[in-house]
């Protein structure tokens, strides 16, 4: 996300409430299906000035869609996603 005070502000403060029916958007899971990691990286890196990236999600407990301005800054290599406690990234034995 591109907000310069992201660390200091509540995530709901920096997002915008939107009407999802008024937004022309693509579903990234469908749009990038079948494309290689390199193809996705190249497409995101070369976005024309008339296209912008937003994170859009439905906030269940607030019953609304919100959008956050975002920027693709490249691919991160050798990252291990972790989560403390029980969750999708922890394997129980």
């Amino acid at each position: 996300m591109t907000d310069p005070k992201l660390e200091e502000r509540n995530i709901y403060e920096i997002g915008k409430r939107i009407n999802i029916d008024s937004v022309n958007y693509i579903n990234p899971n469908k749009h990038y299906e079948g494309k290689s990691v390199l193809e996705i990286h190249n497409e995101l890196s070369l976005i024309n000035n008339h296209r912008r990236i937003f994170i859009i999600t439905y906030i269940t407990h607030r019953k609304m869609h919100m959008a956050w301005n975002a920027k693709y800054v490249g691919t991160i290599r050798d990252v291990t996603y972790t989560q403390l406690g029980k969750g999708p990234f922890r394997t129980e034995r």
Side-chain angles (χ1 to χ4, degrees), residues 56-67:
I56 299 174
T57 192
Y58 182 72
I59 310 297
T60 305
H61 67 279
R62 292 185 176 217
K63 296 182 178 161
M64 65 180 177
H65 283 89
M66 291 192 76

Side-chain angles (χ1 to χ4, degrees), residues 2-3 13 15-16 19 27-28 33 43 45 49 51 57 83:
T2 59
D3 190 282
E13 292 178 286
K16 303 272 190 241
N19 176 353
N27 179 322
E33 185 176 26
E43 188 173 331
S45 296
N49 289 333
R51 295 173 92 191
T57 192
Q83 179 175 340

